[in-house]
Amino acid sequence: MWEIGWRDEIWSNIEQEWDILAIGGGITGAGVLRRAVAAGLKVLLVDAGDFAGGTSSRSSKLIHGGFRYLRNKQWDVTRESVREREWLLHEAKNLVTPLGFLMPNFVEVDTRAMFGVGVVIYDLMAPKWQHSYYSKEKMLQSLPQLRSQGLESGYLYYDAEMDDAHLVHHLLREAVQAGGTAINYVRAEKLLCTADGKVCGAVLRDTSGNSPHTAEVKAKVVINAAGPWSDDLRVQVGAAPRIRPLRGSHLIFDHSRLPIPHAVTLLHPRDQRAMFGIPWEGVTMIGTSDLDDHPTPGAHEPYAHAGEIDYILEAGNATFGTAALTRADIVSSFAGLRPIISSGEGLDPSKESRAHVVWNEEGLITVTGGKLTTFRIMAEQALQLAAAALPGHPDFAGRERYFNPLPQGNPPAGLTLKDWTYLLGRYSSETDAMLAAAQPGELEHIGALPNLWAELRWTARCGGVQHLDDLLLRRVRIGMLLPQGALPQMDHIRAIVQPELGWDEARWDAELVRYQKRYRAYYSPAPTGLENE
Ligand SMILES: Cc1cc2nc3c(=O)[nH]c(=O)nc-3n(C[C@H](O)[C@H](O)[C@H](O)COP(=O)(O)OP(=O)(O)OC[C@H]3O[C@@H](n4cnc5c(N)ncnc54)[C@H](O)[C@@H]3O)c2cc1C
């Protein structure tokens, strides 16, 4: 799948009438594609950039009920999220995995009663009884980095985590294997309408920089899953803008610098906002901020501004008293834009609802807001709203699998059970083929990360990679997980992936320049953004 020539093949068949054109290849579009293909529909999904290149690779990586939403009394968001978390833990095994959360209670902000009630409500919603009360001594035993001064007690409860970009790719790949069509670096430039003003397709243009294709593509239904950019399409049918893009940033630290065994809830000392320290993919992340000042999501990619970096470090140091984190400890950073539906009341960003919406405006079905965690509900509601215009008026209320069952078997020689479990979660039925493609030495880990070098070869060969940043920031995310964007490892990376990608020397050099520019601008420890993008 997605081997050399795949894009030309899609372009040569694109001018047909599709049942659905889905615009946006983040989690929302991926969910729509997966579910619609299961209903036997002919679906084309396009993304203007890389799959998951928008918000869906820049989240906190949690599949969660949203403990903090309880504080805002968003009961429905919490209830449906807890239900979806339980479903994903069951169906997307090894890709979505349980994660413990320690919530320290410090005397200066007495949260003990609030946390205590919260964990009970949370478990009742699941329903399962998993939380525990921890004394101060037990908290410090579990998390020696915690500030002991003022620490009173804590709670342990459970949510789940995942790799967001992998979740999207996994859904897309299995949807394509089941008959769907998905192509990255194709922008829906302009919606097409019938004489009576109903949306019936879009003008598509290849943005990969490697091909001049454009086409007018017709579809019975157009679904707008463009996340924070949804308004750009909605305004074309005369709808008033509703998205309030809220930027959230994270910092990544080497695990050895902050070796936390569970996620940790941090209350920021300035404003008591809930934030998290999260062990993820062999590193530790801290985030997130929640800021308004990103007025034009289309203009440039979000990045962590200097003030946010200080804000996040301050939260980390207020909770992890012995860690004394500084800017020099930051391995990388990243930022995303939450597609929040504005209440129009100028609420504090963290008080805006995280609920999703589904609208039908002149036949353009927009589905946005919400969370990664609730993507299935969002996909099904969007499709249900579109059903009357689809052949056979399908009913999307019935349960369908979104993730194929994992292959059975034992780890092959040379791999531990932990490696095998990790790889199955990411590559599922392709795991054997990925391992068989490995050359000598490629079953080794990349440094202290859970990733193997073999993943780079396989992904370069058939992972839909158009640019080096697709490979290093979203498929095998070593550009974010290793210092300096993995520049010290670049010769090794090049030796593995350049022949698989079929890039000559000039293309490699150009891709490396592009990657480094983007890394510095958006992912480095002190990102600056790019002018004129
Ligand atoms: C900092 C942060 C932390 C978060 N943490 C969590 C979390 O831990 N758990 C959770 O469940 N949720 C979390 N969320 C929310 C979650 O990440 C988002 O709700 C979700 O990723 C949105 O997905 P999407 O597919 O709707 O949008 P996106 O992922 O942004 O996808 C939209 C896509 O549309 C494409 N596009 C736009 N315009 C066009 C066009 N004209 N033509 C073609 N393509 C187009 C873009 O390129 C983009 O890839 C977080 C969000 C942020 C910002």
Side-chain angles (χ1 to χ4, degrees), residues 22-30 46-64 68-69 160 162 164 168 186-190 204 224-230 232-233 236 246-250 276 278 288-289 334-339 354 367-374 378:
I23 302 175
I27 190 70
T28 308
V46 297
D47 196 291
D50 190 21
F51 299 129
T55 311
S56 298
S57 55
R58 300 151 188 265
S59 77
S60 303
K61 328 297 179 202
L62 303 177
I63 293 295
H64 62 153
R68 63 181 146 171
Y69 307 138
M162 43 88 208
D164 45 9
V168 173
V186 172
R187 175 180 296 281
E189 299 257 278
K190 186 174 171 299
L204 303 183
N224 173 9
W229 300 273
S230 300
D232 295 351
L233 295 168
Q236 294 184 35
L246 294 179
R247 189 177 68 245
S249 300
H250 290 83
F276 300 109
I278 302 169
T288 164
S289 45
F334 65 95
L337 297 177
R338 296 181 179 84
R354 267 49 179 166
V367 50
T368 190
K371 306 191 292 169
L372 277 134
T373 306
T374 50
M378 293 170 67

Side-chain angles (χ1 to χ4, degrees), residues 67 82 85 117-132 156-158:
F67 196 91
V82 167
R85 178 195 69 197
V117 172
V119 287
V120 169
I121 296 177
Y122 215 55
D123 274 2
L124 284 173
M125 283 178 174
K128 57 186 179 192
W129 210 247
Q130 272 195 311
H131 68 268
S132 330
L156 172 71
Y157 73 98
Y158 281 86

Side-chain angles (χ1 to χ4, degrees), residues 77-358:
V77 178
T78 309
R79 191 178 304 105
E80 71 180 14
S81 304
V82 167
R83 201 185 57 215
E84 293 307 287
R85 178 195 69 197
E86 293 304 299
W87 164 68
L88 280 163
L89 278 167
H90 176 73
E91 197 173 295
K93 250 194 181 61
N94 302 0
L95 180 55
V96 175
T97 50
L99 178 67
F101 277 73
L102 282 169
M103 285 194 302
N105 179 37
F106 291 102
V107 282
E108 68 268 19
V109 194
D110 189 7
T111 43
R112 184 172 162 175
M114 183 181 80
F115 285 172
V117 172
V119 287
V120 169
I121 296 177
Y122 215 55
D123 274 2
L124 284 173
M125 283 178 174
K128 57 186 179 192
W129 210 247
Q130 272 195 311
H131 68 268
S132 330
Y133 170 76
Y134 274 28
S135 64
K136 172 175 179 171
E137 292 66 38
K138 194 156 180 204
M139 283 299 281
L140 287 170
Q141 240 170 35
S142 313
L143 207 60
Q145 302 80 11
L146 267 187
R147 163 163 65 92
S148 75
Q149 193 193 10
L151 179 67
E152 201 258 325
S153 59
Y155 283 96
L156 172 71
Y157 73 98
Y158 281 86
D159 253 324
E161 76 175 334
M162 43 88 208
D163 178 330
D164 45 9
H166 261 283
L167 190 72
V168 173
H169 289 129
H170 200 110
L171 280 167
L172 289 174
R173 287 181 80 79
E174 291 192 343
V176 170
Q177 282 159 1
T181 304
I183 184 164
N184 51 1
Y185 292 97
V186 172
R187 175 180 296 281
E189 299 257 278
K190 186 174 171 299
L191 295 174
L192 298 171
C193 292
T194 57
D196 61 352
K198 296 284 176 233
V199 173
C200 64
V203 177
L204 303 183
R205 183 175 64 81
D206 195 300
T207 59
S208 67
N210 307 317
S211 112
H213 292 293
T214 60
E216 286 196 1
V217 168
K218 295 282 177 60
K220 296 187 180 71
V221 170
V222 177
I223 296 190
N224 173 9
W229 300 273
S230 300
D231 278 348
D232 295 351
L233 295 168
R234 294 182 55 248
V235 294
Q236 294 184 35
V237 294
R242 285 293 304 278
I243 304 293
R244 181 178 177 186
L246 294 179
R247 189 177 68 245
S249 300
H250 290 83
L251 304 180
I252 287 184
F253 300 89
D254 197 284
H255 178 72
S256 63
R257 191 66 188 80
L258 193 57
I260 52 177
H262 296 294
V264 182
T265 303
L266 324 174
L267 289 185
H268 201 286
R270 279 192 228 168
D271 53 15
Q272 310 306 318
R273 273 193 61 250
M275 297 170 64
F276 300 109
I278 302 169
W280 177 73
E281 299 287 304
V283 296
T284 300
M285 291 191 324
I286 303 184
T288 164
S289 45
D290 203 6
L291 288 167
D292 249 333
D293 62 344
H294 198 89
T296 49
H300 57 78
E301 286 197 30
Y303 62 94
H305 294 209
E308 278 170 283
I309 293 178
D310 292 339
Y311 177 85
I312 296 171
L313 283 172
E314 193 183 334
N317 285 326
T319 300
F320 303 115
T322 59
L325 299 168
T326 69
R327 283 176 169 252
D329 295 311
I330 303 170
V331 170
S332 66
S333 66
F334 65 95
L337 297 177
R338 296 181 179 84
I340 299 293
I341 313 306
S342 172
S343 61
E345 293 168 10
L347 292 179
D348 176 86
S350 297
K351 296 228 158 61
E352 288 279 20
S353 169
R354 267 49 179 166
H356 65 270
V357 293
V358 184

Side-chain angles (χ1 to χ4, degrees), residues 19 41 220 387-394:
D19 292 329
L41 296 167
K220 296 187 180 71
L390 291 168
H393 310 321

